[in-house]
């Protein structure tokens, strides 16, 4: 059994903006089930404080003259102990975890997450008298990047793991911020926190963590190349002995078409005929023509370039001329929201766009759709293709990152040996997207083959148990080396 301090800036169901929350809400539960002693450290945002019922104050301190308390509670629906970093000046304000109500990054993000990191470091070193010392400190994404860097300056410290969920977000700030945060001078150099004259939070993790992981094996290779490495590829190459990819799992209780409370009609592998009842229900809900035979393509996503919005928009006119209905749920960059909404107004029978964040609707779209669109330019792991597989909704994806690791393209051989579970674009272009969608639509007309693809998709093992076993093996390896 190891003692693990798991640090994340979001965790489902307390607070979520993306896939990181799903991981931080599930992996600790799976680790606990596997007899690990785990504490989840999370900022006390207002949404989080609203949801907790029982809690107790465990420690009081301050950083940068801002008072802070550590509050202990449980992750809802589990026995995982959560320690909330309750620093009202940093976290208790209306808006998102990283952005203000207008969608602009908080001006003081560096300070906010430096406070979070200092609290983590002090807990890891036993300075807050919590009667619990971790063997492993597991950090996630740039918001936690200072933790491995600061711990590395200590002689007697726990081992550190840093997981990259998305290398595109690095926590870059000017040099003055480094000075203002009073970070130790010995961390300011090109093999440390400095990134071309700027302060890089993520480099704290990449340069100083004992082990680095990413959320899929393919992404772990891709980030060594300039195309996906954002200037950090050389550093990662130097550290490649300590870099590995562990595929995310999914919360199989929450994402289970057989028990999903959000669905009009539950279904499983043996009752796949019932799936289309969800389609006609969604058509009615979203005022699309009611027709169970028309293929429906779904998408639930942050509306940003990464998720393939450029090639989707380039192909849209042609796509909407095909016999399909397209349902998109998302929020993101304003220009994408506007373009998609305009197209939906022009093609009300073909395209429905819902701008917003809606957990329940996302389940109904997964169940209603026949295909799922995810032509990402890069994808560290991707969760929605996994949910789609579980719901017998065949993913149409680019051949990158976690998409490449989880989707097997339907071709003659893979259909014959029953390994096919989706469709992969030959290249990242609008033309390839249309070709692939047409290929999927053609196969949809062969119900026996389509059914086999759905059954293969729904039979895949994407449980957190498998991922948790890999993480535990990694923890044990590090501790042995230490
Ligand atoms: P990323 O973390 O890059 O955004 P992932 O596929 O790893 O992408 O995870 C995204 C998660 O956020 C999924 O659980 C997805 O269903 C959810 N999600 C994204 N946008 C929305 C939305 N508008 N409404 C509901 N859920 C959403």
């Amino acid at each position: 059994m190891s003692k693990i301090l798991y640090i994340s800036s979001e965790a489902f169901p307390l607070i979520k903006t993306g896939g990181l929350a799903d991981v931080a809400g599930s992996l600790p539960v799976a680790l606990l089930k596997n007899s690990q002693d785990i504490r989840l450290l999370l900022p006390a945002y207002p949404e989080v404080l609203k949801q907790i019922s029982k809690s107790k104050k465990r420690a009081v301190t301050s950083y940068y003259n801002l008072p802070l308390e550590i509050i202990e509670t449980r992750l809802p629906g589990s026995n995982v102990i959560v320690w909330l970093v309750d620093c009202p000046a940093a976290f208790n304000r209306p808006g998102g975890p990283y952005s203000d109500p207008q969608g602009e990054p908080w001006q003081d993000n560096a300070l906010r997450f430096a406070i979070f990191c200092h609290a983590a470091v002090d807990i890891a070193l036993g300075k807050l008298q919590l009667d619990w010392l971790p063997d492993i400190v597991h950090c996630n994404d740039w918001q936690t990047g200072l933790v491995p860097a600061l711990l590395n300056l200590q002689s007697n410290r726990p081992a550190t793991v840093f997981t990259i969920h998305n290398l595109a977000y690095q926590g870059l700030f000017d040099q003055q911020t480094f000075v203002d945060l009073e970070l130790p001078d010995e961390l300011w150099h090109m093999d440390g926190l400095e990134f071309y004259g700027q302060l890089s939070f993520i480099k704290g993790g990449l340069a100083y963590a004992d082990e680095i992981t990413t959320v899929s094996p393919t992404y772990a290779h891709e980030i060594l190349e300039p195309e996906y490495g954002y200037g950090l590829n050389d550093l990662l190459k130097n550290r490649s002995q300590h870099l590995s990819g562990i595929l995310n799992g999914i919360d199989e209780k929450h994402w289970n078409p057989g028990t999903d409370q959000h669905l009009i009609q539950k279904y499983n592998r043996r009752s796949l005929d019932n799936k289309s009842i969800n389609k006609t229900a969604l058509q009615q809900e979203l005022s699309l023509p009611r027709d169970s035979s028309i293929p429906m393509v779904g998408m639930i996503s942050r509306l940003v370039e990464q998720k393939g919005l450029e090639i989707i928009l380039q192909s849209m006119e042609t796509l909407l001329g095909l016999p399909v209905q397209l349902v998109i749920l998302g929020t993101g960059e304003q220009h994408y929201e506007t373009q998609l909404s305009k197209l939906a107004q022009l093609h009300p029978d073909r395209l429905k766009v819902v701008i917003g964040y809606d957990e329940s609707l996302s389940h109904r779209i997964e169940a209603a759709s026949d295909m799922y669109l995810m032509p990402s330019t890069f994808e560290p792991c991707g969760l929605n293709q996994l949910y789609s597989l579980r719901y017998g909704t065949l993913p149409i994806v680019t051949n990158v990152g976690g998409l490449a690791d989880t989707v097997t393209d339907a071709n003659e051989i893979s259909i014959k040996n029953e390994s096919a579970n989706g469709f992969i674009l030959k290249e990242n272009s609008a033309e390839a997207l249309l070709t692939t969608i047409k290929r999927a639509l053609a196969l949809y007309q062969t119900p026996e083959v389509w059914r086999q693809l759905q059954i293969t998709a729904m039979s895949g093992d994407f449980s957190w148990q498998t991922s948790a076993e890999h993480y535990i093996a990694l923890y044990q390896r590090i501790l042995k080396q230490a």
Side-chain angles (χ1 to χ4, degrees):
M1 182 197 71
S2 309
K3 290 197 213 156
I4 303 144
L5 180 64
Y6 193 89
I7 312 175
S8 174
S9 54
E10 48 184 283
F12 185 82
L14 291 171
I15 176 84
K16 168 167 166 175
T17 71
L20 169 61
D22 288 331
V23 177
S26 294
L27 178 58
V29 180
L31 291 170
L32 182 69
K33 264 198 203 125
N34 284 270
S35 312
Q36 306 299 302
D37 184 8
I38 184 139
R39 302 288 181 279
L40 170 61
L41 192 71
L42 195 69
Y45 310 108
E47 295 91 315
V48 172
L49 292 170
K50 249 188 273 163
Q51 286 177 68
I52 58 170
S53 43
K54 271 196 200 146
S55 65
K56 63 178 173 215
K57 196 193 304 183
R58 290 292 313 270
V60 180
T61 181
S62 72
Y63 302 101
Y64 308 104
N65 289 325
L66 300 172
L68 176 153
E69 290 180 357
I70 301 294
I71 298 176
E72 180 170 311
T73 183
R74 302 270 164 165
L75 189 67
S78 82
N79 273 325
V80 171
I81 295 175
V82 180
W83 283 341
L84 298 177
V85 175
D86 187 17
C87 178
F91 300 119
N92 199 350
R93 52 175 84 163
Y98 320 119
S99 318
D100 66 20
Q102 283 70 48
E104 293 300 317
W106 292 109
Q107 290 288 334
D108 56 349
N109 266 342
L111 173 68
R112 296 170 73 231
F113 290 105
I115 291 171
F116 185 50
C117 289
H118 279 301
V121 167
D122 284 352
I123 291 172
L125 297 174
K127 290 186 179 167
L128 297 188
Q129 274 88 44
L130 292 166
D131 300 324
W132 184 90
L133 273 180
D135 306 309
I136 303 271
V137 175
H138 190 151
C139 305
N140 294 281
D141 276 354
W142 74 262
Q143 294 85 353
T144 64
L146 297 182
V147 177
L150 292 169
L151 282 176
N152 197 59
L153 301 173
Q154 306 291 324
S155 48
N156 195 4
R157 64 165 177 90
T160 52
V161 176
F162 184 82
T163 298
I164 305 165
H165 296 261
N166 194 336
L167 195 61
Y169 301 96
Q170 301 173 2
L172 287 177
F173 305 93
D174 59 17
Q175 185 177 3
Q176 187 57 41
T177 307
F178 179 87
V179 177
D180 295 343
L181 292 176
E182 297 163 19
L183 293 168
D185 283 342
E186 58 259 57
L187 295 176
W188 186 262
H189 52 88
M190 60 182 275
D191 297 321
L193 297 182
E194 187 203 342
F195 185 65
Y196 300 100
Q198 287 188 290
L199 161 63
S200 163
F201 269 53
I202 202 167
K203 275 192 78 190
L206 306 186
Y208 294 106
D210 296 315
E211 286 290 325
I212 306 165
T213 67
T214 70
V215 285
S216 70
T218 294
Y219 192 60
H221 290 294
E222 287 171 345
I223 55 178
L224 303 181
E225 303 304 324
E227 192 186 344
Y228 300 101
Y230 298 96
L232 294 163
N233 40 298
D234 284 337
L235 166 61
L236 286 164
K237 252 189 198 150
N238 286 337
R239 300 231 48 212
S240 58
Q241 298 278 3
H242 297 281
L243 169 65
S244 56
I246 299 177
L247 203 61
N248 284 337
I250 59 173
D251 180 338
E252 292 186 316
K253 260 199 262 157
H254 193 67
W255 291 97
N256 178 355
T259 55
D260 192 333
Q261 296 301 329
H262 300 293
L263 308 189
I264 292 270
Q265 176 65 56
K266 302 180 186 42
Y267 62 95
N268 59 31
R269 267 173 288 185
R270 285 168 299 283
S271 56
L272 260 167
D273 283 341
N274 287 340
K275 179 171 161 64
S276 68
I277 297 171
N278 292 294
K279 174 156 64 178
T280 43
L282 190 72
Q283 287 166 335
Q284 185 155 10
E285 178 184 341
L286 299 179
S287 311
L288 281 165
R290 252 184 95 127
D291 176 358
S292 67
S293 70
I294 189 164
M296 181 182 279
V297 182
M299 180 173 185
I300 303 142
S301 184
R302 290 185 293 122
L303 301 176
V304 294
E305 193 189 343
Q306 180 201 336
K307 300 296 178 180
L309 267 295
E310 290 298 326
I311 64 170
I312 290 174
L313 285 166
Q314 284 161 24
S315 17
M316 198 59 105
E317 288 292 343
T318 316
L319 180 54
L320 296 175
L322 300 173
V324 296
Q325 288 179 349
L326 189 54
V327 175
I328 300 178
L329 164 65
T331 54
E333 289 171 23
Q334 185 95 53
H335 62 114
Y336 289 135
E337 292 184 357
T338 313
Q339 287 180 76
L340 286 172
S341 302
K342 271 195 191 142
L343 279 162
Q345 274 169 7
L346 291 173
H347 303 273
D349 287 356
R350 284 277 189 254
L351 171 65
K352 191 77 200 178
V353 174
V354 181
I355 301 297
Y357 194 95
D358 189 334
E359 184 74 30
S360 175
L361 179 58
S362 77
H363 284 247
R364 295 200 295 282
I365 293 175
E366 284 289 5
S369 303
D370 300 291
M371 299 155 213
Y372 187 85
L373 200 53
M374 200 161 174
S376 306
T377 57
F378 69 94
E379 196 56 76
C381 176
L383 290 170
N384 274 108
Q385 89 278 16
L386 301 179
Y387 302 150
S388 301
L389 291 170
R390 194 96 208 281
Y391 281 61
T393 303
L394 304 184
I396 296 172
V397 302
T398 32
N399 198 20
V400 295
L403 302 174
D405 289 336
T406 53
V407 178
T408 304
D409 185 51
N411 57 37
E412 220 175 295
I413 298 167
S414 64
I415 289 175
K416 214 180 239 162
N417 68 23
E418 301 187 353
S419 62
N421 64 3
F423 303 90
I424 300 184
L425 275 66
K426 288 228 158 40
E427 57 175 34
N428 183 358
S429 69
E431 208 185 358
L433 177 62
L434 281 167
T435 309
T436 313
I437 292 176
K438 284 181 193 162
R439 192 154 61 85
L441 292 177
L443 211 57
Y444 185 75
Q445 300 308 325
T446 319
E448 330 76 73
V449 178
W450 194 264
R451 181 58 55 96
Q452 179 53 52
L453 261 64
Q454 287 180 301
I455 288 172
T456 302
M458 295 174 85
S459 310
D461 171 18
F462 299 110
S463 68
W464 271 109
Q465 178 58 27
T466 311
S467 310
E469 285 167 15
H470 281 104
Y471 280 107
I472 291 169
L474 175 80
Y475 298 150
Q476 284 167 352
R477 232 177 23 246
I478 311 176
L479 291 176
K480 227 189 218 162
Q481 281 160 12

